[in-house]
């Protein structure tokens, strides 16, 4: 990385104040790949000015070695590996190890890592009472925000963020316990008994078993469904500085404990513009109902006066096909074939037709609005038997490793400071309190 104090004209830009004519030299930092970055850390001190960037569309909030996205080319890499390769040749535990530790595990490391995760999958028994406190019709994300936040009340031996060992234990705990919490939220919502984790199953198999098995009969885990579940976890594992990850980093920047930080990430993920999108895709497809109504909805999406948006289309970063969407589309077909429900799943047909029409429409082409990962994940999850309310909870299970890897990276960064953005104040500049308030 180029030093921020590098020589003047070589790696810097000049800022000119057109009012006063004053000029300042701002250093430019080069990453290993990707756009160059203007270093404005000293801007306020030197110029008395802030930058204005609501939504952070032009702001790098940190340096990171974890995930790289080239939105124009449709590239997503974790620690330098392409997502397509990871989805094809690795399992979720490999990807977790990669994100957390920087490298794919060798066989010895893999065995140890799987052991570390597996032996943290159970929840403190007392936590079951938390579930009982919720209404049965609570949204699983509401339950998850609460229960994950409450982990810090139970696991005091892993909340000291200055201790690397405690940070590692907290990381393993969260990756391990999240499927248990999500499955319990589901079981509670349908009134079935909780199913405890099983250490003889893989991460994905264990999650399917905790979600779908009942004590009354044997549950056979389909290898195709377990593979699809594992792939869904891989595809959602991390995605650079998105809203929930930035939320986790921001919460963590104050020194908050890791369980509280991840709970804040879950809260952010819940929104329909982020993790809630696959749920919204399904609702939208159900609302459209039949192929002949697609043009009507396309027109609504294009109408500036109509708030309706085509859910599952568009992305803040990808201005090309989301590489995860391609893998997900393939998985989607495999799952429907395995379950033999392609014909009974008219929503997939509808989704394909919607995709075809939108991709040929000038509005979507010009604005580079391609299907994103959520466009297909909702259909697969529905076919697998998950209710729509669980979709975002599954996303949270998968993204936990990304959040925790990013949080660890921030805590370990010697330069990290509390995140404290500034503002462009547009309000009143001083008002007299009305007399009636002064007595
Ligand atoms: N349908 C119709 N028009 C759209 C859509 C859409 N899905 N997405 C963007 N546009 C239009 C938008 O109206 C705007 O038009 P104009 O320039 O005329 O004002 C233009 O495209 C740019 O949109 P934007 O809102 O400025 O883009 P953004 O980067 O702020 O928003 C987004 C990105 C993902 C929030 C948005 O595309 C969207 O709301 N999509 C639907 C929700 C969705 O699928 N979200 C999942 C994101 S992927 C999962 C994840 O990584 O979390």
């Amino acid at each position: 990385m180029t030093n921020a104090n590098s020589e003047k004209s070589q790696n810097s830009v000049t800022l000119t104040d057109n009012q006063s004519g004053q000029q300042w030299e701002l250093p430019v930092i080069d990453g290993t790949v990707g756009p160059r970055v203007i270093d404005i850390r000293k801007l306020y001190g030197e110029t008395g000015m802030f930058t204005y960037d609501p939504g952070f569309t032009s702001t790098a909030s940190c340096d990171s070695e974890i995930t790289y996205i080239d939105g124009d080319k449709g590239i997503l890499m974790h620690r330098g590996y392409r997502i397509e390769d990871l989805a094809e040749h690795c399992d979720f535990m490999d990807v977790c190890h990669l994100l957390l530790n920087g490298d794919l595990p060798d066989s010895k490391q893999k065995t140890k890592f799987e052991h570390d995760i597996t032996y943290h999958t159970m929840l403190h028994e007392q936590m079951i009472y938390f579930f009982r406190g919720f209404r049965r019709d609570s949204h699983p994300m509401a339950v998850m925000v609460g229960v994950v936040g409450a982990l810090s009340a139970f696991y005091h031996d892993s909340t000291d963020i200055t201790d690397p060992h405690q940070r590692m234990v907290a990381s393993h705990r969260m990756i391990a316990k999240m499927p248990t919490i999500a499955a319990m939220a589901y079981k509670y919502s349908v009134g079935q008994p909780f199913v405890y984790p099983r250490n003889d199953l893989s991460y994905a198999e264990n999650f399917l078993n905790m979600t779908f098995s009942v004590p009354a009969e044997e549950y056979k885990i389909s290898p195709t469904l377990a593979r699809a579940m594992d792939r869904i976890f891989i595809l959602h594992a991390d995605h650079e500085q998105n809203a929930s990850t930035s939320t986790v980093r921001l919460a963590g920047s104050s020194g908050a404990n890791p369980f509280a930080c991840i709970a804040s990430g879950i809260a952010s993920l819940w929104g329909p513009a982020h993790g809630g999108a696959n749920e919204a895709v399904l609702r939208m497809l159900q609302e459209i109902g039949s192929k002949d109504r697609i043009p009507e909805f396309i027109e609504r999406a294009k109408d500036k006066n109509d708030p309706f948006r085509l859910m599952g289309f568009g992305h803040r970063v990808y201005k090309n096909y989301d590489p995860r969407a391609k893998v997900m589309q393939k998985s989607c077909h495999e799952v429907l074939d395995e379950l033999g429900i392609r014909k009974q799943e008219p929503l997939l047909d509808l989704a394909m037709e919607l995709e075809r029409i939108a991709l040929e429409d000038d509005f979507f082409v010009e604005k580079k609005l391609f299907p994103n990962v959520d466009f297909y994940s909702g259909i697969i999850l529905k076919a697998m038997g998950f209710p729509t309310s669980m979709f975002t909870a599954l996303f949270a299970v998968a993204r936990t490793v990304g959040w925790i890897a990013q949080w660890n990276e921030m805590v370990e960064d010697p330069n990290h400071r509390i995140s404290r953005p500034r503002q462009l104040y547009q309000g009143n500049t001083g008002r007299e309190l009305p007399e009636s308030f002064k007595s």
Side-chain angles (χ1 to χ4, degrees), residues 239 272-275 277 301 304 308-316 319 324 363-364 367 369 372-374 395:
H239 212 228
H274 191 5
K304 275 214 162 301
F308 174 78
R309 280 186 169 200
L310 226 44
M311 298 315 285
F313 275 75
H315 198 274
R316 168 59 62 81
K319 302 303 170 197
R324 301 168 302 168
F363 175 90
F364 291 90
K367 293 191 187 298
L369 298 170
N372 58 48
V373 67
D374 293 315
F395 193 161

Side-chain angles (χ1 to χ4, degrees), residues 41-49:
R41 279 174 292 182
K42 295 191 177 144
L43 184 77
Y44 179 57
E46 290 177 4
T47 69
M49 286 186 272

Side-chain angles (χ1 to χ4, degrees), residues 1-160:
M1 185 180 294
T2 309
N3 189 304
N5 300 319
S6 59
E7 278 196 18
K8 216 178 169 185
S9 54
Q10 268 187 355
N11 223 0
S12 65
V13 292
T14 305
L15 174 72
T16 307
D17 182 343
N18 291 332
Q19 263 179 18
S20 65
Q22 208 178 341
Q23 291 196 323
W24 298 271
E25 207 77 31
L26 297 174
V28 172
I29 306 176
D30 289 313
T32 49
V33 63
R36 301 168 74 212
V37 172
I38 304 170
D39 180 353
I40 56 164
R41 279 174 292 182
K42 295 191 177 144
L43 184 77
Y44 179 57
E46 290 177 4
T47 69
M49 286 186 272
F50 296 141
T51 54
Y52 179 62
D53 186 18
F56 310 121
T57 51
S58 299
T59 297
S61 59
C62 59
D63 28 16
S64 181
E65 296 178 0
I66 301 174
T67 292
Y68 175 72
I69 302 173
D70 184 330
D72 293 324
K73 295 194 184 131
I75 292 173
L76 167 62
M77 292 190 296
H78 295 317
R79 305 278 190 189
Y81 296 106
R82 296 280 283 252
I83 189 68
E84 297 88 336
D85 291 336
L86 294 171
E88 186 69 31
H89 302 290
C90 300
D91 66 19
F92 185 58
M93 284 297 99
D94 294 322
V95 175
C96 286
H97 189 280
L98 175 71
L99 290 168
L100 270 186
N101 303 311
D103 285 305
L104 287 166
D106 59 26
S107 62
K108 223 169 128 194
Q109 289 167 326
K110 174 90 175 272
T111 307
K112 173 160 181 354
F113 187 69
E114 279 180 328
H115 177 275
D116 289 344
I117 298 299
T118 305
Y119 281 83
H120 281 298
T121 48
M122 279 173 61
L123 270 191
H124 192 295
E125 194 65 12
Q126 185 85 13
M127 292 201 80
I128 299 212
Y129 296 108
F130 274 86
F131 289 89
R132 300 216 170 111
F134 288 103
R135 281 171 52 140
R136 292 268 176 193
D137 59 356
S138 305
H139 195 287
M141 287 297 273
V143 176
M144 288 191 72
V145 173
V147 174
V148 173
L151 289 174
S152 49
F154 284 84
Y155 298 101
H156 298 148
D157 59 345
S158 51
T159 52
D160 177 0

Side-chain angles (χ1 to χ4, degrees), residues 214-416:
V214 288
E217 60 185 31
E218 196 193 346
Y219 171 70
K220 282 215 167 60
I221 305 163
S222 144
T224 308
L225 295 197
R227 178 71 189 128
M229 190 77 258
D230 193 76
R231 209 171 262 169
I232 289 173
F233 288 151
I234 292 175
L235 294 178
H236 288 87
D238 191 49
H239 212 228
E240 207 225 58
Q241 307 310 320
N242 56 82
S244 57
T245 303
S246 297
T247 304
V248 169
R249 279 189 179 254
L250 199 120
S253 76
S254 70
N257 76 67
F259 303 106
C261 294
I262 300 305
S264 74
I266 296 173
S268 168
L269 185 73
W270 193 0
H274 191 5
N278 54 11
E279 194 176 332
V281 170
L282 257 240
R283 278 200 306 269
M284 176 189 74
L285 290 174
Q286 273 150 357
E287 197 190 336
I288 297 175
S290 59
K291 287 185 191 173
D292 57 314
R293 293 192 67 204
I294 292 176
E296 176 196 328
F297 281 82
I298 296 265
E299 284 318 305
R300 282 188 62 194
K302 286 154 60 170
D303 181 357
K304 275 214 162 301
N305 299 316
D306 189 330
F308 174 78
R309 280 186 169 200
L310 226 44
M311 298 315 285
F313 275 75
H315 198 274
R316 168 59 62 81
V317 181
Y318 294 116
K319 302 303 170 197
N320 199 324
Y321 225 100
D322 179 341
R324 301 168 302 168
K326 283 189 194 156
V327 181
M328 200 63 98
Q329 188 193 36
K330 193 168 157 242
S331 261
C332 194
H333 287 287
E334 281 171 15
V335 167
L336 295 183
D337 286 341
E338 155 84 8
L339 295 172
I341 57 165
R342 187 179 286 280
K343 287 216 171 67
Q344 295 106 285
E345 200 42 276
L347 287 189
L348 180 70
D349 229 22
L350 191 60
M352 296 299 163
E353 185 64 2
L354 179 63
E355 178 189 9
R356 190 188 65 74
I357 295 178
L359 289 178
E360 285 172 2
D361 192 293
D362 284 350
F363 175 90
F364 291 90
V365 174
E366 272 159 29
K367 293 191 187 298
K368 299 185 175 166
L369 298 170
F370 294 91
N372 58 48
V373 67
D374 293 315
F375 189 66
Y376 296 103
S377 62
I379 299 165
I380 306 190
L381 294 173
K382 179 174 185 291
M384 289 169 88
F386 289 101
T388 41
S389 62
M390 275 298 283
F391 292 0
T392 322
L394 292 176
F395 193 161
V397 171
R399 184 54 60 84
T400 295
V401 65
W403 289 330
I404 205 79
Q406 300 267 354
W407 173 83
N408 267 303
E409 185 177 63
M410 181 198 64
V411 174
E412 282 165 15
D413 178 356
N415 294 323
H416 105 260

